[in-house]
Amino acid sequence: MPSTDKYNVRSVDELAGIAEAFLRKFPEPGIFILNGSMGAGKTTFISALCKLLGADTASSPTFSIVNEYHAPQGTKVFHFDLYRIKSLEEALDFGLEEYLDERNAHWVFIEWPDLIVPLLDSYHIVRIIDNDGIREIEF
């Protein structure tokens, strides 16, 4: 089992360095599920990763469910926010499986993944915990 890296974040300015460490650990595209409470900083961390990947700046896809960002050399970043999804069937109806089929060619980041985990055969977990204003990020 791979080791878990943990970082304490006191300000948004520190996220770039943690995003760099993340991309050193995971240099290839794949599926990454983000666990954390509302407002913990999941979207902010994904935005820092997108910036380093050369993709558009990320914003929360809460109402659109998925945002697609383009990075250099044809790589895409799919950013899901499944907070509003109520069932696995609803996720399948909007075509989630097609996005997951692209996991080896593109980056897939999923917030609020609990309902769709049964569809995933392999993924990495990112946890973001808010401890009185200090965020603990582990991956």
Side-chain angles (χ1 to χ4, degrees):
M1 183 168 169
S3 65
T4 300
D5 298 344
K6 292 183 182 183
Y7 300 88
N8 288 321
V9 181
R10 289 168 178 72
S11 75
V12 174
D13 297 334
E14 297 175 12
L15 279 180
I18 296 167
E20 287 174 359
F22 179 92
L23 293 175
R24 277 192 304 274
K25 184 171 183 172
F26 303 108
E28 301 296 324
I31 297 175
F32 301 87
I33 61 173
L34 285 87
N35 292 320
S37 61
M38 183 75 70
K42 297 178 296 292
T43 297
T44 305
F45 185 60
I46 292 170
S47 184
L49 290 168
C50 284
K51 184 174 181 179
L52 286 176
L53 291 168
D56 308 325
T57 302
S59 61
S60 179
T62 299
F63 293 101
S64 61
I65 301 174
V66 62
N67 285 346
E68 181 178 320
Y69 312 112
H70 298 272
Q73 295 139 5
T75 303
K76 294 179 185 174
V77 177
F78 297 116
H79 176 196
F80 290 89
D81 183 330
L82 302 181
Y83 182 77
R84 297 169 51 93
I85 298 296
K86 303 295 182 229
S87 69
L88 184 58
E89 292 75 25
E90 189 177 347
L92 294 172
D93 286 347
F94 75 75
L96 178 67
E97 285 182 307
E98 288 79 21
Y99 289 102
L100 298 178
D101 287 342
E102 299 290 327
R103 71 181 167 268
N104 294 322
H106 305 294
W107 298 86
V108 180
F109 297 105
I110 306 171
E111 298 183 44
W112 305 101
D114 296 343
L115 284 173
I116 59 97
V117 167
L119 295 175
L120 305 176
D121 55 2
S122 66
Y123 56 91
H124 303 283
I125 299 172
V126 178
R127 286 185 183 85
I128 302 178
I129 301 163
D130 182 4
N131 290 321
D132 295 323
I134 298 173
R135 304 301 201 272
E136 182 179 290
I137 299 177
E138 61 180 51
F139 45 83

